Amino acid sequence: MPDSPSAMFQVHIQGSLEDVWHEITRTDQPIPAFFNNRMHRGPLEAGSPLAMRTGDGKWTGVVGEILEVVPLKKFAHTFKFTAYDDPECTVVYELEPKDGGTQFTLTVENLPVGTKTGKNMSSGGKMICGTLKRVVETGKPSLGIRMLYGFFKLMGLLSPKRCATEHWPLDGSGRAGGAA
């Protein structure tokens, strides 16, 4: 469990700001660093809804709202796992040029301490950073991560019904809709 209501993870990536930014904001295909989910969102601007869905779009694992966008520097959004009744937290990605590459910082704020969300966010940050680094530098995640994602795909068959995308549509209110 997290010891504090925030967690920070950093990695130096031998890649351009543009390449890292593209990888964390793309919507055209699954994002390996984000557990191979595909980002669905409105415009890349504050107030737009955001959802992370399986590649086939059947399941929505995360919903939120974009809070801040500073191209090539900062992307922040709220974050709520659809499988849990836990409060949302805030995820902030910051990019800065450093030593011929990009210093990538992932900060999770307002972590709901003592919850499944808190535990998953605290442990997932290192994997997100490592996978992002590997994808930007080599073009693909490690074999171990690819195998893990294959397992996730099989486990998708066991996803709670409340995570079905039909319960989490993106709407015009600035938030992804919630399960009733």
Side-chain angles (χ1 to χ4, degrees):
M1 291 294 175
D3 295 328
S4 69
S6 66
M8 185 178 77
F9 308 89
Q10 285 188 319
V11 66
H12 184 267
I13 300 172
Q14 286 300 108
S16 69
L17 290 170
E18 292 83 359
D19 289 345
V20 176
W21 181 260
H22 174 72
E23 192 59 31
I24 65 169
T25 60
R26 67 185 309 141
T27 59
D28 60 334
Q29 63 187 29
I31 302 172
F34 296 161
F35 298 87
N36 221 32
N37 284 293
R38 186 170 174 181
M39 186 183 304
H40 293 257
R41 60 173 168 76
L44 190 56
E45 60 189 33
S48 289
L50 173 140
M52 298 302 291
R53 297 187 171 141
T54 55
D56 62 11
K58 291 181 181 179
W59 304 101
T60 299
V62 171
V63 292
E65 176 183 336
I66 297 174
L67 300 173
E68 184 177 4
V69 177
V70 180
L72 305 179
K73 293 183 181 181
K74 186 175 185 180
F75 177 39
H77 61 85
T78 60
F79 184 105
K80 177 173 178 28
F81 283 115
T82 61
Y84 309 141
D85 290 325
D86 299 343
E88 68 183 21
C89 55
T90 300
V91 177
V92 181
Y93 310 99
E94 294 177 287
L95 289 66
E96 141 182 22
K98 187 172 181 183
D99 300 329
T102 300
Q103 182 73 32
F104 176 78
T105 303
L106 164 59
T107 305
V108 184
E109 301 170 346
N110 304 311
L111 263 174
V113 177
T115 65
K116 290 180 181 179
T117 295
K119 181 179 179 183
N120 287 337
M121 294 302 288
S122 294
S123 62
K126 183 176 179 182
M127 184 175 154
I128 290 168
C129 287
T131 303
L132 180 62
K133 176 180 176 63
R134 173 85 184 211
V135 167
V136 171
E137 291 179 359
T138 71
K140 63 183 178 181
S142 70
L143 176 60
I145 293 295
R146 292 192 313 263
M147 290 174 63
L148 180 64
Y149 292 165
F151 177 71
F152 285 173
K153 191 171 185 176
L154 289 174
M155 292 304 295
L157 301 173
L158 303 175
S159 294
K161 291 190 187 307
R162 70 182 280 164
C163 298
T165 292
E166 65 196 49
H167 300 298
W168 302 95
L170 293 181
D171 61 26
S173 70
R175 290 202 164 283

